[in-house]
Amino acid sequence: MRLHKRSLTLHGHRTSLALEPEFWSALEEIARSRSQSLAATIAQIDDNRANDAALASAVRLAVLAHYRGTRH
C-alpha cells in the first residue's frame, strides 16, 4: 500500500494527511462537485468527525459515504 502525504491548512493550523492516491482523487472530485477547495472539503469532514477518530479514517469513511449516497 502506498500512501501519499499532503500538507494543508485546516482552521488556520498546518497539518498533513496521508492517503492512498485513489482517495486523494476521490476527494478532489468531491471538492469540485461542491465548488470547494480541497482544504475546505477536508475541513468539513474534520468538523464532523468523532473526537476519537483519526482524520485519515474519517476522510476515507466520508468518501465511502459520498459514493454510496449515504450521509456520514
Side-chain angles (χ1 to χ4, degrees), residues 32-58:
R32 277 192 305 274
S33 75
R34 296 178 179 176
S35 298
Q36 292 180 316
S37 69
L38 185 61
T41 301
I42 295 171
Q44 283 184 334
I45 295 167
D46 185 37
D47 290 344
N48 293 313
R49 73 180 162 127
N51 290 337
D52 61 344
L55 180 57
S57 296

Side-chain angles (χ1 to χ4, degrees), residues 6-70:
R6 293 191 191 181
S7 295
L8 55 144
T9 302
L10 300 179
H11 307 297
H13 300 282
R14 293 293 288 170
T15 190
S16 56
L17 181 62
L19 296 169
E20 296 78 5
E22 296 82 2
F23 281 101
W24 284 118
S25 294
L27 274 172
E28 289 166 353
E29 185 176 302
I30 292 166
R32 277 192 305 274
S33 75
R34 296 178 179 176
S35 298
Q36 292 180 316
S37 69
L38 185 61
T41 301
I42 295 171
Q44 283 184 334
I45 295 167
D46 185 37
D47 290 344
N48 293 313
R49 73 180 162 127
N51 290 337
D52 61 344
L55 180 57
S57 296
V59 167
R60 288 183 184 98
L61 290 174
V63 168
L64 181 61
H66 174 83
Y67 285 103
R68 283 186 169 174
T70 59

